Amino acid sequence: MTSTAGPADFHPTHVVPREGLPAWEGPDLSRPTAALDPFLPVQLLSRRAEWGEILCANGWSAWVDGRLLVPVPEPPPPAGGRPPERAEDPLPLLAHAAEALERYRRAAADLAAGRTGTEAFREATRGLRAGIVIDGESVWLYEEAGGRWLYGDGTGLVTYAVGEGPGDPAEPQQPPEPEPEPESPEPPGPEDRGAAAGVRADPARGAAAGRDAGHEPTRIVTPPEGGGR
């Protein structure tokens, strides 16, 4: 962590979740630093995608997964002032989940009725993604843009879990390149065929060739008549 400001500049906007948070010196997973304690008040200074730059009361700053920070409730606005906007309104995500579910339902119905085929079903549902769990007043909604699950009770949402750590997702691995096929041996030329034929016609020549190669040649044995030993 690095020191950027004094306690007079500290105005907490969030707290660390009950599980605590790992922290990094910069928006880079290769630069870890001391973890943050549960329920520690912090001030969110800036955001960079999933990353959040935070300031602690002692003047130290670090980078964390900003999606997991718990926002501190804002005080009520002054009389006649504009009410604060609700950053975690559940209605847009509910509408998105309902639209995605209806699109999938129509595509599945057409496939089941035989009005479309498997390929048309794939095209109709390509890129479709949504997630919702409802249990009484509780709801869990998936936000694809942030890669996180949010929990709500009908009035607001808080981050419940994230799919991946902060930072850009890893690049997909490229499939391995196919190994080159072994080259077929070239057929023997006329000279080679002539040499091989000469060895078969003249066993003594073959024996001499074996001695020249540094090993005993294969002996040609004529079996006795009748197959006896």
Side-chain angles (χ1 to χ4, degrees):
M1 290 191 292
T2 58
S3 179
T4 60
D9 301 314
F10 179 73
H11 303 285
T13 59
H14 296 74
V15 296
V16 175
R18 67 175 67 247
E19 298 83 9
L21 270 184
W24 292 266
E25 293 182 359
D28 185 351
L29 293 176
S30 65
R31 301 171 59 189
T33 184
L36 302 181
D37 294 332
F39 305 114
L40 178 70
V42 297
Q43 180 181 350
L44 183 62
L45 300 178
S46 63
R47 291 293 297 265
R48 186 180 302 179
E50 297 91 358
W51 291 98
E53 183 185 13
I54 56 96
L55 175 70
C56 300
N58 61 0
W60 291 93
S61 67
W63 290 82
V64 299
D65 190 338
R67 299 169 295 179
L68 297 174
L69 293 173
V70 181
V72 174
E74 294 289 338
R82 182 179 179 182
E85 296 181 0
R86 292 162 57 190
E88 302 291 347
D89 186 355
L91 295 182
L93 281 180
L94 286 170
H96 171 74
E99 179 184 357
L101 178 60
E102 178 58 21
R103 283 179 54 190
Y104 192 93
R105 187 199 64 79
R106 289 198 303 264
D110 290 341
L111 179 65
R115 292 188 290 269
T116 58
T118 304
E119 188 61 31
F121 176 74
R122 291 197 187 101
E123 287 296 326
T125 57
R126 190 183 305 276
L128 199 60
R129 182 177 287 109
I132 180 171
V133 178
I134 299 176
D135 184 12
E137 66 178 12
S138 300
V139 63
W140 290 262
L141 293 167
Y142 181 69
E143 182 192 45
E144 183 178 359
R148 58 177 179 162
W149 281 89
L150 298 102
Y151 168 78
D153 57 1
T155 60
L157 297 172
V158 294
T159 300
Y160 180 76
V162 296
E164 296 181 357
D168 296 331
E171 296 182 359
Q173 296 183 354
Q174 299 294 332
E177 296 183 0
E179 297 182 0
E181 297 182 0
E183 297 182 359
S184 302
E186 296 183 359
E191 297 180 358
D192 297 331
R193 288 196 296 268
V199 170
R200 289 194 299 270
D202 188 356
R205 181 180 174 186
R211 286 192 296 271
D212 293 341
H215 60 80
E216 285 294 325
T218 301
R219 295 182 180 180
I220 300 176
V221 179
T222 302
E225 296 181 0
R229 295 186 178 182

